[in-house]
Amino acid sequence: MEKVRVVIADDSAQLREMISEYLSKQNGLEVVGTAANGKEALKLVQEQEPDVLICDLIMPQMDGYTVLEHLASGKLDKRPGVIALTALGRDDFIARAVDLGVNYYMVKPFDLATLAQRVCEAAGEDARAEAIGVRVSRKDDGGESLEERIANLFLTVGIPAHIKGYQYLREAVRMVIDNPDLMGRITKELYPGIARRFGTTSSKVERAIRHAIEVAWNRGRIDALDEAFGKNVCSLDDKPTNGEFIALVADRLRIEKSA
């Protein structure tokens, strides 16, 4: 079985070495190059044609966003999956990266086991991720936080972080995970609870969530939707209701947490 080929780009030599050392120890992963800036990263991608690029967004000479723009131009023979690894956690930064096609957006500090899992997923290697034994802690006191898991799932299905519905959906999923009974009281308790949290109305919450789901479906990422929720669960002609989507996300994350 061929290994997943990875290029790492970060201006911190210590971080590059740490990530490279960890990934290289994972059976099925191979680090084929590291770069200290965007220009070196782009050159390595062109020369090595990796399956995945792990890329910091703030680097000298050429930043990560410019690298992403080059990758999105369609000029490369092979476009790798991309994991943005950065200290920038603002919604507008995330939204820009999403629009440029990143697979995952991970905020420093991060968990190395989670990163290894994301590398396999960004390469389209979910089965291999299981086969090689790359495991991710789902505990709230270790590994990915619930916030990170929600953000990565929304990123996968194509919900941009800069729209209102993103925030409302995130809150809805958190509330339902904590209290599954809310799924039976969406209009009476769930929407009003979110509305109070954000100083708005229940009707605006409902409309914004519906818009966010429509954005994801209109992007047509059916493969990403199937991957996120299970084969044949989703179709572009059968958009879920707000409640169905919230339940899908909450159930997926609840299963991951118990795994």
Side-chain angles (χ1 to χ4, degrees):
M1 181 181 292
E2 292 184 3
K3 293 186 177 182
V4 175
R5 294 162 52 82
V6 185
V7 164
I8 303 164
D10 195 289
D11 60 349
S12 168
Q14 182 178 7
L15 186 59
R16 291 197 308 274
E17 182 179 351
M18 180 181 71
I19 296 173
S20 179
E21 181 179 357
Y22 182 85
L23 295 184
S24 296
K25 290 179 180 178
Q26 308 303 314
N27 182 27
L29 303 181
E30 178 184 8
V31 177
V32 296
T34 64
N37 58 65
K39 284 187 176 180
E40 291 179 3
L42 196 57
K43 182 179 179 182
L44 276 173
V45 168
Q46 292 168 333
E47 292 175 350
Q48 297 292 335
E49 296 188 340
D51 300 300
V52 178
L53 169 65
I54 299 172
C55 188
D56 191 8
L57 294 182
I58 304 300
M59 295 184 291
Q61 297 188 38
M62 179 189 291
D63 66 19
Y65 286 113
T66 305
V67 173
L68 292 176
E69 288 171 356
H70 279 281
L71 297 181
S73 68
K75 295 179 180 179
L76 296 178
D77 292 334
K78 177 182 177 181
R79 186 190 188 284
V82 181
I83 298 172
L85 196 63
T86 177
L88 305 175
R90 280 173 36 184
D91 285 349
D92 53 339
F93 291 133
I94 297 173
R96 185 180 175 193
V98 169
D99 289 340
L100 289 170
V102 301
N103 296 80
Y104 292 102
Y105 190 106
M106 298 183 67
V107 178
K108 301 173 183 178
F110 57 91
D111 177 71
L112 285 169
T114 301
L115 177 60
Q117 179 77 26
R118 295 293 178 250
V119 166
C120 293
E121 292 169 353
E125 298 288 348
D126 293 342
R128 183 180 299 178
E130 295 295 323
I132 66 176
V134 178
R135 303 293 180 182
V136 182
S137 171
R138 300 298 177 187
K139 298 179 180 178
D140 291 337
D141 58 353
E144 270 189 310
S145 68
L146 178 61
E147 287 285 338
E148 288 173 325
R149 287 186 283 132
I150 293 173
N152 279 330
L153 189 54
F154 285 0
L155 175 61
T156 297
V157 301
I159 299 177
H162 64 281
I163 62 176
K164 276 290 185 184
Y166 178 99
Q167 304 292 341
Y168 299 159
L169 264 174
R170 185 171 63 182
E171 186 68 15
V173 170
R174 280 199 302 245
M175 291 172 67
V176 169
I177 287 176
D178 291 338
N179 183 8
D181 291 342
L182 285 174
M183 285 308 306
R185 303 191 294 273
I186 292 179
T187 57
K188 291 185 177 180
E189 293 188 31
L190 185 63
Y191 290 161
I194 298 169
R196 287 192 297 271
R197 167 74 173 78
F198 289 94
T200 186
T201 66
S202 295
S203 61
K204 288 182 179 179
V205 168
E206 187 276 332
R207 286 196 300 270
I209 289 177
R210 180 167 12 105
H211 171 67
I213 296 169
E214 288 173 351
V215 168
W217 254 251
N218 289 339
R219 288 188 170 192
R221 299 180 181 175
I222 190 63
D223 290 342
L225 293 168
D226 281 341
E227 179 183 343
F229 299 122
K231 297 298 181 182
N232 301 322
V233 169
C234 305
S235 76
L236 295 180
D237 297 326
D238 187 22
K239 184 173 80 264
T241 64
N242 289 6
E244 288 170 342
F245 186 83
I246 292 167
L248 280 171
V249 175
D251 287 346
R252 163 70 185 265
L253 295 175
R254 197 179 294 115
I255 290 170
E256 285 185 352
K257 184 177 180 180
S258 63

